[in-house]
Amino acid sequence: MTALFNLQPEAVGTIDADSKQAILEQLAQRFAGVYGLDSALVLERIEEREKLGSTGFGRGVAIPHARIPELSRPVAAFFRLESPVAFDAADGMPVDLVFGLLSPEQAGAAHLHALAAISRMMRDEAMHAALGEAPGAEALYALLVNGIDRDAA
């Protein structure tokens, strides 16, 4: 849990995916399983957002995000990929770190603040390297929560 969004330990892990669509599907399933959301709705909203332009952030990072009606505050999930996957990123590079964010439909400023914090953290070279080298889900979660809380302070 952070000041900006809810990130549960079960929402963080390493996955194997061979396409952007597979990543989005696993992300929707993880959001559904951890936060009790409708996976079909989550996938639909994330795919709608991707149609507006790729959320491939660059430098191997994607930040798929959407707004859905079932939430009272933003929630997040994080995947490190076993192998990089093409994601239509602005820099053309495949991604290996995926930080998903879902916010309530009416969460204008809260959604933007959370995205900005995630973006700042993912641009940090030391954090990027640490996430790539973390030995497992517990270490990934600790890095993420400490990074977001430090950034929000």
Side-chain angles (χ1 to χ4, degrees):
M1 181 79 92
T2 74
L4 296 169
F5 51 81
N6 185 358
L7 176 65
Q8 293 297 314
E10 302 81 23
V12 175
T14 300
I15 65 162
D16 185 25
D18 60 1
S19 68
K20 178 178 179 176
Q21 186 62 35
I23 294 168
L24 299 180
E25 289 170 3
Q26 288 191 51
L27 193 59
Q29 291 168 1
R30 186 70 58 106
F31 274 121
V34 174
Y35 300 108
L37 301 171
D38 178 332
S39 64
L41 176 64
V42 171
L43 182 60
E44 176 186 314
R45 293 293 177 96
I46 290 174
E47 288 174 337
E48 285 174 6
R49 171 55 189 85
E50 286 297 321
K51 287 177 187 171
L52 298 175
S54 177
T55 57
F57 177 76
R59 293 184 48 252
V61 177
I63 309 175
H65 56 278
R67 297 177 197 218
I68 63 170
E70 303 174 25
L71 293 173
S72 58
R73 77 178 300 243
V75 296
F78 179 86
F79 291 151
R80 179 176 58 190
L81 306 182
E82 290 183 5
S83 301
V85 172
F87 208 88
D88 303 319
D91 64 0
M93 300 292 293
V95 303
D96 59 359
L97 300 176
V98 178
F99 207 126
L101 178 70
L102 297 176
S103 296
E105 280 187 314
Q106 304 307 318
H111 183 72
L112 295 177
H113 288 303
L115 278 175
I118 292 166
S119 172
R120 280 190 300 274
M121 185 173 60
M122 293 292 102
R123 278 195 307 260
D124 181 274
E125 291 293 334
M127 174 62 78
H128 196 268
L131 290 169
E133 297 167 5
E138 282 185 25
L140 288 169
Y141 178 75
L143 285 165
L144 293 167
V145 171
N146 290 334
I148 290 291
D149 284 344
R150 181 179 61 243
D151 188 59

